[in-house]
Amino acid sequence: MDDIYRKALDELHDVLVAVDKAQIATALDTIAGARRIALYGVGREGLQMKGFAMRLFHLGLDAHVVGDMTAPHIGEGDLLIVSAGPGDFSTVSALIGVARSAGAKSLCVTAEPEGAAPRVADAKLVVPAQTMARDTTAPSSVLPMGSLYEGALYVLFEMLILQLRERLAVDAGQMRSRHTNLE
């Protein structure tokens, strides 16, 4: 098992160091400047987006998960962050269109920069990892299906939170004070 652990961790490392620093900077600027943030993803990508929404909330940002009953209307000054690892999902592209029509900006996190969703988003953050889009034609990961992409999202999002925390001058105690006490 040690060999598999090492291989998986090495793969995650290789993906994360390959993420474009300029795209990270754009994502940070876009998130920090948003009035309200809505996040969306499907399947396991969606779970990572929910975790990211939670951390953005802990920072004190007005962050919501699309589909939750409390997700507000978005418009001018707002941001929709979506994940489309394989490059597109019909719901992701539809939501980008809704955001654009409402005057909101969109940021698409993806492994496939030429996919339909990242091409129409206002900004993209490319995470160059295997997803289900390529797991049968060009498998490159020891992890199954899209797990490399999903695992990289988790670590990348936590690193973005650390950078936003510093930029927004939020300390760990402030973040903790926003954590639910209903567990």
Side-chain angles (χ1 to χ4, degrees), residues 66-151:
V66 173
D68 283 356
M69 292 175 69
T70 57
H73 180 97
I74 65 169
E76 195 70 36
D78 296 337
L79 174 64
L80 171 67
I81 305 175
V82 295
S83 178
D88 195 35
F89 294 110
S90 59
T91 50
V92 167
S93 288
L95 289 170
I96 291 171
V98 170
R100 175 167 281 127
S101 293
K105 298 290 184 194
S106 59
L107 168 63
C108 182
V109 184
T110 186
E112 300 289 335
E114 298 307 315
R119 279 193 320 233
V120 298
D122 295 298
K124 64 185 166 190
L125 181 55
V126 179
V127 180
Q130 177 181 301
T131 68
M132 285 184 60
R134 298 186 188 271
D135 74 323
T136 59
T137 58
S140 59
S141 178
V142 67
L143 299 171
M145 301 158 64
S147 293
L148 182 59
Y149 176 77
E150 297 146 4

Side-chain angles (χ1 to χ4, degrees), residues 13-29 124-126 128 156 160 163 167:
H13 171 268
D14 292 347
V15 167
L16 292 165
V17 299
V19 176
D20 185 286
K21 304 307 180 255
Q23 289 180 1
I24 290 173
T26 297
L28 290 168
D29 290 344
K124 64 185 166 190
L125 181 55
V126 179
L156 177 63
L160 292 176
Q163 292 177 54
R167 179 184 289 202

